[in-house]
Amino acid sequence: MRVSWNWLKQLVDLKITAVETAACLTKAGLEVEGLDRLDKGIHKVVTGKILEVQPHPEAKKLVITKVDAGGEKPLTIVTGAPNVMAGQSVAVALVGAKLPNETHPDIQLTTLRGVLSEGMMCGADELGMDVSKLTPEEKEGLYPLPEDTKPGLDIVPFLGLDDVVLDIGLTPNRSDCMGMINIAREASALTGAPLTLPEVPESREGGRCAELATIKINEPGLCGRFGARMVENVKVGPSPLWLKQRLNAMGMRSINNLVDISNMVMLETNQPLHFFDYDLLVGKGVHVRRAKAGETIETLDGQVRNLTEEMTLVADDAGAVAIAGVMGGLRTEVTPQTKRILIEAASWDGTLTRRTTQALGLRSEASMRFEKEVDATAILWVLDRAVQLIESLGAGTGIEGYLNVCSKEEKLPQTKVRLNKINYVLGTRLDHKTVQNIWKALRINILEDHQDSWVLESPSWRKDLVIEEDYIEETVRLFGYDQLEATTPAGKTTQGSRTEQHNLRRKLTGLMIGMGYREAVNYSFINPDHLERLAVPQDHPWRNAVILKNPLSEDQGMMRTTIIPSMTELAVWNNNRRNRDLQMFEMGKVYIANGDRTKQPDEQWTLAIMCTGSQKKTWQQPEIVYDFYHMKGVVETLLQQCRINNIQFVADQAVPGLHPGRFARILAEGQELGYVGELHPQTAALYEATQRIQIASLNVEMIQKAMNPVQYRPLSKFPEVMRDLAIAVRTEVPAADLMATIRQHAGTLLKEIRLFDLYQGVQLQENQKSLAFALTWQAEDRTLKDEEINGFHETIEAKLAEVYGGQVRGR
Amino acid sequence: MREELIELKQSALSHLDRCDSLEALNEFRLLYMGKKGKLTLILRNMGQLSAEERPVMGQQVNEIRDEMESKISQFTAALKAKEIEKQIAAEQIDISLPGRQASVGGRHPLYAVMDEMEEIFMGLGFSVAEGYEVETDYYNFEAMNLPKDHPARDMQDSFYITNEILLRTHTSPTQTRVMEMMHPQLPVKVIIPGKVYRRDDDATHSPMFHQVEGLVVDKHIRFSDLKGILLEFVKKFYGEDQKIRLRPSYFPFTEPSAEVDICCVMCGGKGCRTCKGTGWLEVLGSGMVHPRVLEMGGYDPSEVTGFAFGMGVERLAMLKYGVDDLRLFFENDIRFLRQF
Ligand SMILES: [Zn+2]
């Protein structure tokens, strides 16, 4: 909300500066976000009258003018402006003048093609005006001043540029402050300065107005109150300068005297008005009704609007003449031919107005005010105020009397407010008198005054004062938030903690960081076409996606059901920026829709891991390629750190998007914890990946379930026995199967089995590979005997030979 | 025999002087003091001596042996020291070569900031609670005193899934869920960190961002307590000298409500571009929990009061690290992430 400082001072007799007032309002919750000085530093610019215009002998595009700028002698000014005429009043920048536009240095004596020019005549932009708010005549060429302007006046006050605009960010509860009078009331309450509101002559109900027109509200819920007055001898014309300036300062453009008055009254009172051309109304009156299905109206902006039964209309006997509270119709628009007008001031229902603006995508200054509801009790005063202004500007004559239809009782809320509750909630020690003074300052009606409580009635314009807490806020707002002490809650002390799962996520995150991985944060939503890139089968759970009804773009069309797209894009995005070697992870969620889509989905915390590229060779370490085994090792480490035993990596059912020969599902005790694998070459091509990408996904809740507690065992005092075992088998035999067989036959005292070599090559037959294991046994109660271990060893060899046709090597 | 002994001593000592390695010393020991060593033989032959001579000679032999032993150990120590010196000389390396660095990753700056916030509030006795990101209209809006058709819940602000389910627009719905879970226990004292979503995507808005919400409900919680707790937090987060300013504001779920500004961290309050010349930066919204919200959480507003606050993690992180572009947080450029 833009607030003209000059206008505000007319409504309340402030003795402090604009800056001080701004600080005061901000402190009370009307946050002044900016102060805009309209003069923008203009200096030594005055009004002037062009006395004569002569062609420039040396230049076709220039003219030589004599200008009376209030000095003893007329000034000679050379100009190239197109619309220069003798008799015109203009703004003249004298020698030494400062203009706000940075492209204009200070004005100096200059010689233009041999003629000395003693100043410059100004256009609107040179005066720093917002040209978007001006008419074409005003913004092109020299800015025209009224013809009878006295020369030599300082242009700053003359154009109303000696004003400051306070830009106030209004919170939704203070829509009353979209009216200047209510801001003045607020300023008065905060500073004690007296209000100086306009005196308005009151009219009476009925009169000639009632003879000419009728008003009817067909359905009570649509409109609280509908008031109207009429004006005859209407003369549509331009507004006086002061009104134009006032509207410009408030951020509106001048249209004509009637439109400007309606806007000014709205800005002053927060009550929007609508003017109908009375003689164009069919049936000499209006009524309020719902629109019929299929009904249309051509609005003032020339657009045909399709209406629904949800929308409220003002109509005459021929059909709609306005969409209530939103915009008027073109058919009854006020034009230069208009003789008589009917002025509508109504209190439209906020919710209905809101729905209508949403449905039509049409929001206006008026609808913004009705959505938050206006002060219906002020309507008759507002109508009289509008007629007063019309008469004072010579734009018409008021017709005696007013119309007034009220469809619901206007009862202001009454609230019991307790002094001890105020002090209890705020932590203050305010006394009765201090608080009572706050009620008075805010013009709150004190219905009952008890020693320790009041019954209060809210001012009619304050729709936000309903419950006791609202009044508590008013108290502290005027008392000053900065006056509050900073205290500590008195109750019993508590111990802060996190949930177990939260702690587990932090542990996993810490482990990932320790292993060299950087945390990323990806959007939770992805483009649904990622599922196609991953070739996710139609019946796959990843198809159970939460779909956004109103995404900003398809790229954010669904909540992700898998982390593969996020991690792939993360890799590709970085690779394209020459960040080739990546180890990254994300702790985030996937969202799996329930069968019943009216319910919330399952939100599954997931540890997503990605690596690509390599750790480059150093002077003493070979390159470590971030391949499948690199990623698998990370997963194994994580699971070991979580004390999850019997982990199996199986490649039975495919994971969409992963390489069918380089992926594994991760199982613990038969429960699936996640998967690990290389991106499918087909998928990689669709993402235009230039490197192989490894991805792992672990379900945090499943990890939590599979975790084992710490189990301390005393350290064995007896020595370990170690044996190596190398065996050649067919290449397709999985290492995990061999290890399982070894474990099965190595007895319960086998402590560790470590694959230390894998060989394929000339020393072996084709289709053969050799695996070398280091086995370690240890007992807790005795020294193991060689014979015992030999026994195990022999059994293992025999079994490996039997099951896999394995040949023991190197014995 | 005495002469024999003196001669032996002489030759032994001169032999010993010639020993220049541990091996030579070992040979020497064998030669004189081994099982068949010269000194050993003399001792063995002592039986031939008279009873008077025997102890005298014995003593002399022992003295010579002790002397040789001590010489040997002296020589050994010297030789060992020499060998270590040799070893050291041979083992000199170029310590200027780069070391074998462990690769360590790092926390995302947003989560580093959230961690810090959690730690501070846990220190103040708050527990960390979490909620759903895909929420019901009831918890996201209605339980927050935002009934249907409330102006503050415009369609364009929220991502809807169905008419009744949406992506939470703030962490506040978890307030009600926590109260429902805790009721009737007191105090309720939690912070709620998490992702939230709004339909805004430009230079200063991300459709997904992070909030940390706080909620305290107990008998006799005062507005001044809110000020105290937030001041405590701000001092721990931004430094002991940091000041705060509370301004009246409006949120449907608090009454009274307050916007909290901190003294501008860029200019120290003098006024700059970041603070638009005001010297203050808005960092969080807060207020006393609206009685309707308490009621919907199951608590009786005539028995208990509470306060709540919420802050944007991105904004705090930008101010803390001087990051000037919000989008960097979600681009995940490794060169950006490596700086934290
Ligand atoms: Zn600053």
Side-chain angles (χ1 to χ4, degrees):
Chain A
M1 173 75 186
R2 285 169 66 93
V3 171
S4 154
W5 170 241
N6 286 346
W7 191 2
L8 184 63
K9 277 196 302 184
Q10 284 184 14
L11 298 170
V12 53
D13 189 15
L14 290 165
K15 295 284 186 258
I16 53 176
T17 65
V19 174
E20 287 163 341
T21 307
C24 213
L25 292 171
T26 298
K27 238 184 78 180
L30 300 178
E31 190 188 0
V32 178
E33 292 166 342
L35 279 172
D36 184 12
R37 284 177 55 141
L38 294 186
D39 71 6
K40 298 191 169 73
I42 293 177
H43 182 57
K44 279 189 93 170
V45 180
V46 298
T47 57
K49 196 173 191 75
I50 303 177
L51 301 175
E52 58 170 74
V53 181
Q54 299 286 340
H56 194 296
E58 304 289 321
K60 266 190 185 166
K61 289 193 171 165
L62 297 179
V63 290
I64 304 166
T65 63
K66 295 280 181 212
V67 181
D68 177 1
E72 286 175 18
K73 280 193 314 189
L75 302 173
T76 303
I77 297 176
V78 181
T79 181
N83 58 343
V84 197
M85 282 183 305
Q88 230 178 345
S89 287
V90 291
V92 181
L94 303 174
V95 171
K98 285 192 194 313
L99 293 174
N101 198 327
E102 282 166 14
T103 58
H104 279 278
D106 297 357
I107 304 298
Q108 290 172 341
L109 278 177
T110 36
T111 307
L112 286 164
R113 298 282 189 105
V115 179
L116 190 71
S117 183
E118 301 170 293
M120 187 181 93
M121 293 183 282
C122 306
D125 61 333
E126 286 152 342
L127 293 168
M129 293 177 168
D130 180 358
V131 290
S132 68
K133 298 283 185 308
L134 301 177
T135 61
E137 307 85 74
E138 287 170 333
K139 63 183 162 199
E140 276 149 34
L142 301 178
Y143 182 72
L145 302 180
E147 272 177 32
D148 52 353
T149 304
K150 190 170 169 261
L153 303 173
D154 187 344
I155 200 77
V156 170
F158 184 81
L159 287 180
L161 298 178
D162 56 340
D163 199 359
V164 180
V165 170
L166 284 67
D167 193 0
I168 302 183
L170 288 180
T171 51
N173 59 326
R174 290 310 302 272
S175 62
D176 60 302
C177 289
M178 285 195 276
M180 288 293 293
I181 287 178
N182 292 332
I183 293 183
R185 283 173 171 145
E186 191 72 11
S188 162
L190 295 169
T191 61
L195 280 178
T196 47
L197 302 185
E199 299 276 344
V200 178
E202 273 181 43
S203 58
R204 64 177 181 94
E205 181 147 19
R208 195 148 70 83
C209 185
E211 291 163 21
L212 290 166
T214 55
I215 293 170
K216 214 179 134 208
I217 298 174
N218 289 6
E219 194 180 318
L222 302 177
C223 181
R225 184 196 283 255
F226 195 125
R229 281 205 63 181
M230 289 180 62
V231 173
E232 57 193 352
N233 306 322
V234 167
K235 243 171 66 190
V236 179
S239 288
L241 194 58
W242 69 265
L243 181 51
K244 285 183 184 176
Q245 289 160 3
R246 179 165 287 181
L247 290 175
N248 283 348
M250 299 294 288
M252 281 188 154
R253 50 183 287 189
S254 168
I255 311 285
N256 61 45
N257 50 4
L258 287 182
V259 175
D260 290 359
I261 287 168
S262 120
N263 279 333
M264 175 182 154
V265 172
M266 174 180 76
L267 292 171
E268 186 173 63
T269 63
N270 196 34
Q271 171 66 51
L273 302 175
H274 186 69
F275 293 178
F276 296 99
D277 184 325
Y278 169 76
D279 296 298
L280 295 177
L281 289 172
V282 178
K284 303 304 168 204
V286 291
H287 58 276
V288 175
R289 64 165 167 85
R290 282 176 189 273
K292 295 173 197 128
E295 193 170 0
T296 60
I297 180 174
E298 188 173 6
T299 43
L300 285 173
D301 54 4
Q303 294 216 39
V304 177
R305 309 279 176 177
N306 296 314
L307 307 172
T308 70
E309 285 161 325
E310 301 287 296
M311 298 173 186
T312 310
L313 294 180
V314 181
D316 63 7
D317 290 353
V321 292
I323 304 170
V326 181
M327 197 177 267
L330 200 59
R331 174 163 65 84
T332 54
E333 187 190 17
V334 175
T335 66
Q337 286 73 47
T338 301
K339 296 280 174 290
R340 291 184 286 184
I341 57 172
L342 177 81
I343 305 175
E344 163 212 313
S347 62
W348 302 108
D349 180 80
T351 304
L352 293 177
T353 309
R354 213 172 99 82
R355 287 186 190 153
T356 302
T357 60
Q358 272 180 4
L360 294 174
L362 178 64
R363 182 160 268 176
S364 61
E365 286 280 337
S367 71
M368 269 164 51
R369 288 171 167 82
F370 288 123
E371 281 179 30
K372 310 262 167 63
E373 309 229 328
V374 296
D375 179 5
T377 63
I379 277 175
L380 299 177
W381 188 90
V382 172
L383 284 167
D384 290 341
R385 171 71 173 149
V387 173
Q388 177 191 34
L389 282 166
I390 289 171
E391 289 186 337
S392 74
L393 296 191
T397 329
I399 292 175
E400 185 244 338
Y402 62 76
L403 298 171
N404 177 27
V405 180
C406 221
S407 80
K408 75 175 181 207
E409 200 189 350
E410 282 151 5
K411 204 163 173 294
L412 297 170
Q414 298 180 356
T415 312
K416 184 173 178 189
V417 179
R418 296 160 291 170
L419 180 62
N420 66 357
K421 175 82 177 186
I422 291 175
N423 283 321
Y424 173 94
V425 169
L426 297 178
T428 50
R429 288 173 293 276
L430 302 174
D431 59 23
H432 180 274
K433 189 169 163 234
T434 309
V435 178
Q436 180 129 323
N437 285 340
I438 290 173
W439 306 150
K440 286 180 181 159
L442 290 166
R443 295 172 166 76
I444 290 164
N445 198 2
I446 303 169
L447 300 178
E448 291 172 37
D449 176 5
H450 307 287
Q451 214 177 347
D452 54 356
S453 69
W454 300 265
V455 175
L456 303 174
E457 187 184 68
S458 70
S460 58
W461 59 90
R462 290 293 301 270
K463 305 289 176 196
D464 59 320
L465 301 185
V466 181
I467 60 172
E468 192 175 22
E469 280 74 9
D470 296 328
Y471 287 92
I472 295 174
E473 180 169 65
E474 289 308 287
T475 313
V476 65
R477 211 164 62 80
L478 263 75
F479 172 64
Y481 278 37
D482 50 351
Q483 300 296 308
L484 284 178
E485 281 177 71
T487 57
T488 339
K492 65 179 173 210
T493 49
T494 46
Q495 174 70 52
S497 65
R498 293 188 175 94
T499 62
E500 236 174 81
Q501 210 221 54
H502 194 164
N503 282 327
L504 170 59
R505 291 198 306 268
R506 289 172 55 80
K507 173 186 171 139
L508 293 171
T509 300
L511 286 168
M512 290 311 300
I513 292 171
M515 284 188 281
Y517 284 70
R518 293 242 158 231
E519 189 175 27
V521 177
N522 293 298
Y523 282 155
S524 309
F525 20 57
I526 58 171
N527 193 317
D529 79 0
H530 284 288
L531 297 182
E532 310 314 321
R533 296 200 223 177
L534 266 53
V536 179
Q538 289 306 321
D539 56 351
H540 194 278
W542 291 355
R543 291 277 176 186
N544 299 336
V546 173
I547 307 291
L548 271 62
K549 226 166 74 169
N550 57 338
L552 283 166
S553 77
E554 261 316 277
D555 281 343
Q556 300 163 3
M558 65 172 259
M559 300 301 277
R560 63 182 180 185
T561 50
T562 158
I563 52 80
I564 293 178
S566 310
M567 297 321 267
T568 304
E569 288 201 314
L570 180 62
V572 172
W573 198 91
N574 268 291
N575 286 167
N576 289 344
R577 274 153 195 80
R578 295 169 186 270
N579 304 324
R580 306 224 188 279
D581 305 314
L582 305 168
Q583 295 190 108
M584 300 177 86
F585 76 100
E586 184 194 346
M587 182 60 81
K589 285 175 175 175
V590 296
Y591 310 79
I592 309 290
N594 276 308
D596 180 358
R597 298 210 174 227
T598 62
K599 299 237 169 69
Q600 289 169 263
D602 285 336
E603 297 181 12
Q604 299 173 355
W605 278 104
T606 304
L607 173 59
I609 317 172
M610 176 272 293
C611 59
T612 183
S614 66
Q615 184 183 319
K616 291 286 171 288
K617 176 182 181 309
T618 69
W619 64 281
Q620 55 157 218
Q621 260 181 304
E623 179 179 28
I624 298 169
V625 177
Y626 296 156
D627 59 4
F628 175 85
Y629 298 110
H630 189 75
M631 177 63 54
K632 187 182 174 192
V634 167
V635 170
E636 286 169 328
T637 310
L638 280 174
L639 298 181
Q640 265 165 29
Q641 291 298 313
C642 293
R643 294 177 301 277
I644 297 176
N645 310 319
N646 302 331
I647 306 156
Q648 280 177 287
F649 290 83
V650 298
D652 46 5
Q653 324 148 25
V655 174
L658 294 187
H659 191 308
R662 296 181 173 186
F663 85 98
R665 291 177 180 276
I666 306 158
L667 304 180
E669 310 286 355
Q671 295 294 309
E672 187 164 335
L673 305 184
Y675 53 83
V676 53
E678 184 173 306
L679 198 64
H680 195 296
Q682 186 63 44
T683 305
L686 290 170
Y687 281 97
E688 295 177 30
T690 51
Q691 299 183 182
R692 289 175 183 265
I693 299 167
Q694 311 298 330
I695 291 173
S697 170
L698 290 166
N699 180 315
V700 176
E701 200 186 327
M702 296 306 291
I703 291 181
Q704 193 183 9
K705 283 185 187 153
M707 275 170 71
N708 290 301
V710 173
Q711 233 175 356
Y712 163 74
R713 303 181 79 145
L715 307 180
S716 173
K717 293 184 187 68
F718 301 93
E720 295 176 333
V721 182
M722 285 166 36
R723 291 291 157 85
D724 288 352
L725 169 69
I727 186 146
V729 291
R730 292 185 317 280
T731 43
E732 67 267 23
V733 176
D737 291 7
L738 293 175
M739 286 161 87
T741 306
I742 293 171
R743 267 211 184 85
Q744 194 187 339
H745 300 285
T748 52
L749 299 177
L750 183 75
K751 256 186 63 185
E752 196 197 323
I753 171 166
R754 176 166 54 89
L755 177 67
F756 68 91
D757 194 28
L758 174 67
Y759 176 77
Q760 271 178 290
V762 285
Q763 294 177 32
L764 291 173
Q765 293 168 22
E766 228 174 289
N767 303 329
Q768 288 252 306
K769 62 181 175 185
S770 160
L771 296 93
F773 299 98
L775 310 180
T776 309
W777 284 267
Q778 188 180 34
E780 283 170 20
D781 54 351
R782 65 201 157 93
T783 302
L784 288 170
K785 293 194 190 84
D786 269 354
E787 305 84 74
E788 221 176 329
I789 300 306
N790 291 343
F792 288 135
H793 204 131
E794 278 159 26
T795 317
I796 291 166
E797 285 180 3
K799 283 290 168 189
L800 291 178
E802 182 190 321
V803 181
Y804 307 103
Q807 289 170 306
V808 177
R809 299 176 69 232
R811 276 193 86 184
Chain B
M1 210 171 172
R2 182 173 301 227
E3 293 75 40
E4 209 184 324
L5 200 60
I6 290 165
E7 209 178 297
L8 183 74
K9 186 182 166 186
Q10 296 298 347
S11 71
L13 287 177
S14 72
H15 186 170
L16 195 57
D17 282 339
R18 290 195 307 274
C19 289
D20 57 355
S21 69
L22 289 171
E23 291 79 50
L25 268 179
N26 258 337
E27 275 170 32
F28 172 84
R29 187 195 293 274
L30 275 175
L31 185 63
Y32 289 92
M33 276 132 55
K35 275 186 183 167
K36 287 174 185 167
K38 292 180 180 174
L39 204 60
T40 319
L41 286 177
I42 289 180
L43 267 174
R44 224 176 262 163
N45 293 337
M46 291 244 288
Q48 299 162 7
L49 297 177
S50 67
E52 298 94 69
E53 272 182 319
R54 220 180 283 159
V56 180
M57 280 300 287
Q59 196 188 344
Q60 278 185 355
V61 171
N62 279 334
E63 276 170 13
I64 291 172
R65 197 179 58 189
D66 286 352
E67 193 182 341
M68 291 203 300
E69 282 286 4
S70 102
K71 280 249 156 116
I72 287 172
S73 67
Q74 268 175 38
F75 273 59
T76 308
L79 282 169
K80 275 194 179 154
K82 236 185 221 160
E83 283 200 359
I84 285 173
E85 261 170 50
K86 250 201 254 164
Q87 187 192 346
I88 287 170
E91 288 179 353
Q92 197 113 25
I93 56 164
D94 177 3
I95 54 94
S96 73
L97 283 168
R100 210 177 296 141
Q101 289 184 22
S103 87
V104 177
R107 195 89 157 118
H108 191 283
L110 289 179
Y111 288 103
V113 164
M114 273 162 93
D115 279 349
E116 194 183 337
M117 294 164 82
E118 285 174 23
E119 297 303 328
I120 292 172
F121 281 111
M122 282 169 68
L124 295 169
F126 287 70
S127 285
V128 185
E130 293 173 307
Y132 301 105
E133 291 172 29
V134 185
E135 257 298 359
T136 62
D137 184 274
Y138 172 78
Y139 283 104
N140 194 73
F141 287 131
E142 278 182 48
M144 284 293 112
N145 198 30
L146 275 147
K148 289 234 155 66
D149 285 316
H150 194 286
R153 54 185 284 184
D154 278 346
M155 179 82 173
Q156 61 257 39
D157 294 336
S158 317
F159 288 113
Y160 277 90
I161 310 300
T162 68
N163 287 340
E164 294 304 321
I165 296 180
L166 73 165
L167 303 188
R168 66 175 175 192
T169 55
H170 45 192
T171 39
S172 309
T174 312
Q175 282 189 20
T176 311
R177 290 190 179 272
V178 166
M179 282 192 275
E180 285 176 347
M181 205 176 67
M182 294 279 292
H183 182 264
Q185 298 165 77
L186 287 172
V188 178
K189 203 170 177 188
V190 292
I191 57 161
I192 305 149
K195 292 189 170 104
V196 298
Y197 303 86
R198 287 192 203 164
R199 285 195 83 230
D200 262 327
D201 198 356
D202 57 40
T204 54
H205 295 93
S206 167
M208 180 187 94
F209 58 103
H210 297 79
Q211 279 188 343
V212 172
E213 182 102 3
L215 173 70
V216 176
V217 177
D218 201 355
K219 288 198 192 304
H220 205 175
I221 291 293
R222 301 158 294 178
F223 200 39
S224 54
D225 296 335
L226 168 67
K227 192 171 183 178
I229 288 280
L230 291 178
L231 185 63
E232 194 75 15
F233 165 74
V234 161
K235 283 177 170 222
K236 291 211 159 75
F237 193 79
Y238 287 105
E240 274 304 315
D241 319 323
Q242 187 51 259
K243 289 191 266 298
I244 61 171
R245 177 177 84 169
L246 269 63
R247 277 184 293 113
S249 188
Y250 169 77
F251 307 105
F253 31 90
T254 50
E255 189 75 35
S257 305
E259 204 92 65
V260 180
D261 301 336
I262 59 163
C263 197
C264 178
V265 292
M266 302 291 168
C267 64
K270 286 194 218 72
C272 68
R273 257 181 46 193
T274 306
C275 60
K276 292 185 196 135
T278 61
W280 294 96
L281 292 169
E282 192 178 307
V283 289
L284 62 94
S286 63
M288 298 301 287
V289 182
H290 196 285
R292 287 283 298 131
V293 174
L294 285 174
E295 246 167 46
M296 282 184 275
Y299 288 91
D300 180 352
S302 67
E303 298 272 313
V304 301
T305 46
F307 65 75
F309 54 86
M311 44 196 139
V313 179
E314 280 76 4
R315 179 158 172 81
L316 294 189
M318 286 173 88
L319 292 175
K320 194 173 178 84
Y321 299 120
V323 174
D324 51 4
D325 185 352
L326 171 71
R327 279 174 279 205
L328 286 168
F329 289 126
F330 303 102
E331 278 178 352
N332 297 305
D333 191 313
I334 196 88
R335 292 166 300 176
F336 172 74
L337 297 177
R338 268 196 207 115
Q339 297 178 37
F340 299 94

